[in-house]
Amino acid sequence: MMIARRADTRARADFATWKMIAKLNGASSLSAEAQNFLASYKTLLEDTSEDEATEATIRLMYKTYYAEMGGVGKPPEVRSVPSEPKLEPKTDNVTAFRRPAARLARPTTFPGASAGGKQQLPVALIFACLIVVYVGIRYFWR
């Protein structure tokens, strides 16, 4: 029964994922097995309602996964929890992914730097510190 639950959970999760990828025009990146299940879903969708086609496809995937996971014989019926949420909401609000516009980097200003001038104080300070470290090392090594 544990194999049956795992197979059912995997079938429901995979189907929801594949269906969302197909809505986002990424079905070509799916495996051949996934594309075959989606094709059978589309043919079932022509003859039946969306809920019936979804359940029929999930049952087909469940049987396949049950056999792959080492289940022997006919797969047992898995009861779904009554409080289980629907597979997908009825609204079709999927938006294709778009990259955000590139942001222009704002110049950073250091305290004490003039608004229009170059920022030479930090560079000079770093250089002076390097000289102090160099002289200190040379002095203590002698």
Side-chain angles (χ1 to χ4, degrees), residues 13 23 25 30 36 53-54 59 75 83 88 113 119 126 135 139:
K23 282 184 179 181
N25 296 327
L30 293 173
N36 289 339
T54 299
R59 272 187 261 119
S83 63
E88 283 190 45
Q119 303 157 357
I126 291 170
V135 169
Y139 176 74

Side-chain angles (χ1 to χ4, degrees), residues 32-90:
E33 178 186 29
Q35 290 178 359
N36 289 339
F37 281 125
L38 285 175
S40 68
Y41 169 72
K42 287 179 183 177
T43 55
L44 285 171
L45 197 57
E46 293 171 358
D47 299 333
T48 61
S49 69
E50 183 177 359
D51 291 336
E52 291 172 356
T54 299
E55 282 303 314
T57 305
I58 289 175
R59 272 187 261 119
L60 180 65
M61 291 171 62
Y62 163 66
K63 289 177 184 177
T64 304
Y65 287 167
Y66 183 77
E68 284 178 8
M69 291 179 174
V72 180
K74 182 181 174 187
E77 285 294 319
V78 178
R79 293 183 191 171
S80 61
V81 180
S83 63
E84 186 176 84
K86 286 279 190 185
L87 185 60
E88 283 190 45
K90 291 294 181 186

Side-chain angles (χ1 to χ4, degrees), residues 71-132:
V72 180
K74 182 181 174 187
E77 285 294 319
V78 178
R79 293 183 191 171
S80 61
V81 180
S83 63
E84 186 176 84
K86 286 279 190 185
L87 185 60
E88 283 190 45
K90 291 294 181 186
T91 59
D92 189 22
N93 58 358
V94 177
T95 306
F97 176 75
R98 283 185 258 160
R99 293 191 184 274
R103 295 184 186 176
L104 297 176
R106 294 187 306 175
T108 57
T109 58
F110 295 101
S114 63
K118 292 186 178 181
Q119 303 157 357
Q120 300 220 359
L121 178 63
V123 174
L125 187 61
I126 291 170
F127 186 70
C129 289
L130 286 174
I131 290 174
V132 169

